[in-house]
C-alpha cells in the first residue's frame, strides 16, 4: 500500500542501472505489457537515471515507475524481467522467479563473445552451473520470447516450481551472511577454468 500498488499480480521490471542498458532493454520489456492485462507492471527505477528517460521509453503504456524501492518491488512481484547483473542474484534470494534480459551494441557484444568464455551471464546460473533461469541475450531478446518465458515463470507456469526449488538450492550453496565474498570466489574460480 505504501508504494501505491494494488492487488493485481505484479511483474517487476529491472531494466538496469546504466542509461545505455535501459535504452536497449526496457523497450523490449515493454513489449509484453499489453499481452498481460491482468497484471500490473512495476519498473524499479534507480536514482541516477532521470525520470524523463524512463518516461520517454514507457510512454503511455501501463507501467508504473517507482524509484529506489527494488527490494520492495521484488518482494511483491509474482515474477520479474531482470537485466543481467547483481539484480539476478537479488531476485533469486528474494524468491522471485525471473527471466534474464541482456542486449548490448553490436561491437561490445562481439568483443565480449571473443574475450569472455562463460556459458551463462547471470550470477544465478553461474553459481548453479546450470540454466536455472532463462537468459535472453542479444537477438534472443524479443517481445515474443520474453512473453513466452515470462508466462512460464508466472503462477501456474510450467517452470515456476522448478525455479523456486532451484532457488532454495542456491541459498544452500551461498549460505548465510558473507555470501558476496563466497560468490566472488566462486566466480573467480569459474573464470579461471
Amino acid at each position: 500500500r505504501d508504494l501505491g500498488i494494488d492487488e493485481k499480480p505484479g511483474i517487476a521490471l529491472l531494466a538496469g542501472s546504466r542509461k545505455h542498458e535501459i535504452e536497449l532493454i526496457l523497450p523490449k520489456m515493454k513489449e509484453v505489457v499489453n499481452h498481460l492485462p491482468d497484471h500490473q507492471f512495476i519498473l524499479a527505477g534507480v536514482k541516477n537515471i532521470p525520470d524523463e528517460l524512463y518516461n520517454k521509453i514507457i510512454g503511455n503504456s501501463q507501467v508504473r515507475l517507482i524509484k529506489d524501492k527494488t527490494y520492495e518491488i521484488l518482494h511483491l512481484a509474482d515474477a520479474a524481467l531482470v537485466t543481467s547483473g547483481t539484480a539476478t542474484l537479488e531476485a533469486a534470494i528474494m524468491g522471485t522467479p525471473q527471466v534474464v534480459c541482456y542486449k548490448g551494441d553490436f561491437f561490445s557484444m562481439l568483443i565480449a563473445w571473443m574475450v569472455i568464455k562463460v556459458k551463462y551471464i547471470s550470477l544465478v546460473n553461474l553459481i548453479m552451473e546450470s540454466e536455472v533461469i532463462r537468459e535472453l541475450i542479444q537477438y534472443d531478446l524479443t517481445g515474443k520470447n520474453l512473453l513466452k518465458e515470462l508466462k512460464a515463470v508466472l503462477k501456474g507456469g510450467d517452470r515456476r516450481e522448478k525455479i523456486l526449488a532451484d532457488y532454495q538450492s542456491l541459498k544452500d550453496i551461498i549460505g548465510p551472511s558473507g555470501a558476496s565474498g563466497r560468490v566472488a570466489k566462486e566466480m573467480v574460480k569459474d573464470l579461471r577454468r
Side-chain angles (χ1 to χ4, degrees):
R1 268 182 261 133
D2 291 343
L3 296 176
I5 295 172
D6 63 32
E7 298 299 317
K8 278 174 42 173
I11 297 172
L13 304 178
L14 280 65
S17 58
R18 293 186 288 279
K19 181 179 182 263
H20 186 67
E21 285 177 328
I22 294 163
E23 290 172 332
L24 289 172
I25 298 168
L26 184 55
K28 292 295 176 189
M29 290 178 170
K30 190 179 92 167
E31 288 182 30
V32 303
V33 172
N34 291 334
H35 296 281
L36 296 166
D38 295 335
H39 292 78
Q40 60 182 318
F41 288 81
I42 306 129
L43 174 57
V46 293
K47 65 182 169 199
N48 62 306
I49 301 295
D51 289 3
E52 294 77 34
L53 175 63
Y54 290 121
N55 291 327
K56 177 181 163 190
I57 296 169
I58 60 177
N60 61 359
S61 64
Q62 296 298 307
V63 175
R64 175 131 193 244
L65 171 63
I66 300 175
K67 289 180 107 173
D68 300 319
K69 299 286 183 187
T70 301
Y71 295 133
E72 293 90 334
I73 293 167
L74 282 173
H75 177 73
L76 294 169
D78 284 0
L81 300 179
V82 183
T83 298
S84 180
T86 56
T88 62
L89 187 56
E90 292 167 335
I93 290 169
M94 303 272 311
T96 307
Q98 64 187 296
V99 179
V100 176
C101 310
Y102 194 77
K103 187 175 182 82
D105 65 72
F106 176 77
F107 291 109
S108 296
M109 292 303 292
L110 182 63
I111 291 167
W113 285 325
M114 290 170 42
V115 175
I116 301 170
K117 305 290 184 204
V118 293
K119 194 170 179 180
Y120 305 107
I121 63 168
S122 73
L123 291 175
V124 174
N125 291 347
L126 286 168
I127 294 165
M128 296 294 287
E129 297 180 348
S130 66
E131 187 183 52
V132 171
I133 51 179
R134 288 279 198 264
E135 298 179 350
L136 297 177
I137 305 167
Q138 206 62 2
Y139 302 112
D140 289 333
L141 182 61
T142 65
K144 181 180 177 182
N145 288 343
L146 269 175
L147 182 61
K148 176 186 170 203
E149 298 302 335
L150 180 57
K151 285 181 175 180
V153 302
L154 285 169
K155 288 183 178 169
D158 62 351
R159 297 195 69 237
R160 184 178 180 88
E161 295 308 315
K162 172 83 167 90
I163 287 173
L164 293 173
D166 286 340
Y167 281 178
Q168 187 54 54
S169 298
L170 172 71
K171 290 176 188 177
D172 293 342
I173 289 169
I174 62 176
S177 66
S180 59
R182 288 190 301 279
V183 168
K185 285 179 188 175
E186 285 297 317
M187 288 175 59
V188 169
K189 185 172 82 177
D190 193 48
L191 290 172
R192 287 186 176 157
R193 288 185 202 169

